[in-house]
Amino acid sequence: MGSVEIPSKVLTNTSAQIKMPVVGMGSAPDFTCKKDTKEAIIEAIKQGYRHFDTAAAYGSEQALGEALNEAIQLGLVTREELFVTSKLWVTENHPHLVIPALQKSLKTLQLDYLDLYLIHWPLSSQPGKFSFPIDVADLLPFDVKGVWESLEEALKLGLTKAIGVSNFSVKKLQKLLSVATVLPAVNQVEMNLAWQQKKLREFCNENGIVLTAFSPLRKGASRGANEVMENDMLKEIADAHGKSVAQISLRWLYEQGITFVPKSYDKERMGQNLSIFDWTLTKKDHEKIDQIKQNRLIPGPTKPSLNDLWDDEI
């Protein structure tokens, strides 16, 4: 399979109207060896992937940086063609720690700038105390205004081309919008056919915030059956189109104007995740998909869970 041309989505809340490829390659914590990660990323670039999503907390920045560097050296891609996202972890989610954290990520990634830098969670915890899950006892008040001002400063300094958030509810976005000079370009959240987040989608659309879905195939948690991949009705839709359930899921997100970062290091699946642009779902497919029972997969990063993290939004 040759290289696929991936459509882009304009980040309307950026002054330069930056374009983000709609499909990115996720690299959430995966304890495969660095060599595998590196090979997978080079393969992804060969297939057409240009958007790579990482985070300080994932432990994958170094391998990603090495792979991107190698791909640039090999002449497979230029830095300008890439779109690299990283995220600020809760231990650094304090006004005075934002820029040092971003500079550290850049150093680890061997990059001069990021395309997008996100606040990973609307939470702050004790600096220097990294643990996952986060111990609730380590949480501190989150100074959203101060942190966002530091992100706006990072933008001015050219350390990143766009700034945004992750795991923000409508209520938390409203609070941010009330103090922000530069509006968030992106909100990256869990979104898939069994967690469609209609209210959040509507709010983000109204405010020019592009949504990025993580766990777009509802993988990434070990509990219970996968309500997307093992859904008989979705299997029927997939069969009717001669596609896989994963492709139906990603096509649905694409048709909603949502960007997504599936995580697959498998060469064949990487290719399948890009084969979603030359066909469409029917009106009937959409009606069936609207009927899927909804529930959140990822409860949050703390132990125990927090009652007000999601503000009980559906």
Side-chain angles (χ1 to χ4, degrees):
M1 180 182 150
S3 179
V4 172
E5 187 72 40
I6 298 172
S8 292
K9 183 104 179 149
V10 174
L11 301 181
T12 51
N13 287 345
T14 58
S15 56
Q17 299 292 288
I18 291 162
K19 288 182 175 164
M20 175 164 90
V22 297
V23 188
M25 185 166 164
S27 61
D30 197 330
F31 303 103
T32 47
C33 74
K34 283 214 171 98
K35 183 175 164 291
D36 291 348
T37 305
K38 214 163 136 178
E39 280 172 10
I41 289 159
I42 299 237
E43 172 59 33
I45 288 172
K46 286 179 179 166
Q47 290 196 21
Y49 285 85
R50 295 292 178 266
H51 173 183
F52 293 89
D53 181 89
T54 185
Y58 295 166
S60 58
E61 285 181 327
Q62 191 185 339
L64 176 59
E66 286 170 9
L68 295 180
N69 215 7
E70 194 172 304
I72 290 167
Q73 301 295 320
L74 290 169
L76 294 174
V77 72
T78 63
R79 170 63 186 100
E80 293 66 40
E81 290 169 319
L82 293 168
F83 190 101
V84 183
T85 301
S86 194
K87 308 180 194 83
L88 174 74
W89 188 239
V90 295
T91 44
E92 276 80 33
N93 202 10
H94 304 278
H96 67 294
L97 296 178
V98 172
I99 291 191
L102 172 46
Q103 286 168 326
K104 187 180 174 197
S105 282
L106 288 172
K107 198 173 171 201
T108 310
L109 284 159
Q110 304 179 46
L111 296 174
D112 297 326
Y113 66 91
L114 286 177
D115 296 277
L116 178 63
Y117 195 46
L118 306 177
I119 298 175
H120 205 147
W121 289 94
L123 297 169
S124 299
S125 73
Q126 291 283 352
K129 269 190 90 172
F130 183 86
S131 68
F132 194 86
I134 304 152
D135 187 342
V136 168
D138 289 336
L139 290 178
L140 295 168
F142 170 37
D143 173 6
V144 64
K145 187 175 190 288
V147 166
W148 194 252
E149 280 169 359
S150 296
L151 280 161
E152 291 174 340
E153 180 62 21
L155 205 53
K156 284 197 193 101
L157 294 170
L159 299 174
T160 183
K161 303 237 173 194
I163 52 177
V165 296
S166 182
N167 301 299
F168 271 53
S169 64
V170 169
K171 191 177 169 185
K172 289 183 172 63
L173 284 172
Q174 283 169 328
K175 186 172 181 195
L176 171 58
L177 295 181
S178 72
V179 298
T181 307
V182 177
L183 300 183
V186 168
N187 184 19
Q188 183 178 130
V189 296
E190 178 198 337
M191 195 173 285
N192 49 63
L193 294 188
W195 192 239
Q196 297 177 16
Q197 302 225 61
K198 199 158 186 254
K199 186 183 168 192
L200 183 65
R201 289 196 334 248
E202 285 166 2
F203 182 85
C204 288
N205 273 339
E206 284 158 17
N207 290 282
I209 301 166
V210 171
L211 278 162
T212 298
F214 68 76
S215 297
L217 305 175
R218 208 168 174 87
K219 293 177 174 172
S222 50
R223 53 202 177 89
N226 185 321
E227 291 105 324
V228 172
M229 302 304 277
E230 293 161 37
N231 182 308
D232 289 337
M233 181 264 289
L234 288 174
K235 283 178 187 167
E236 282 170 24
I237 294 176
D239 290 345
H241 286 276
K243 300 289 174 191
S244 67
V245 171
Q247 288 170 320
I248 298 296
S249 301
L250 299 179
R251 177 71 202 183
W252 180 86
L253 289 165
Y254 177 60
E255 290 187 14
Q256 306 296 330
I258 294 157
T259 61
F260 37 94
V261 285
K263 190 188 85 200
S264 180
Y265 287 179
D266 177 86
K267 187 174 175 174
E268 214 162 291
R269 279 203 300 271
M270 266 187 221
Q272 286 170 2
N273 289 349
L274 297 185
S275 306
I276 59 166
F277 300 116
D278 55 357
W279 52 280
T280 55
L281 294 168
T282 65
K283 191 165 179 279
K284 214 158 195 66
D285 294 338
H286 279 280
E287 285 164 5
K288 287 178 184 168
I289 286 168
D290 286 345
Q291 304 305 312
I292 296 173
K293 189 169 157 283
Q294 298 293 300
N295 61 356
R296 186 185 293 284
L297 181 70
I298 316 285
T302 61
K303 202 175 170 185
S305 294
L306 298 171
N307 296 330
D308 61 349
L309 181 60
W310 305 113
D311 303 305
D312 288 332
E313 290 168 12
I314 300 294

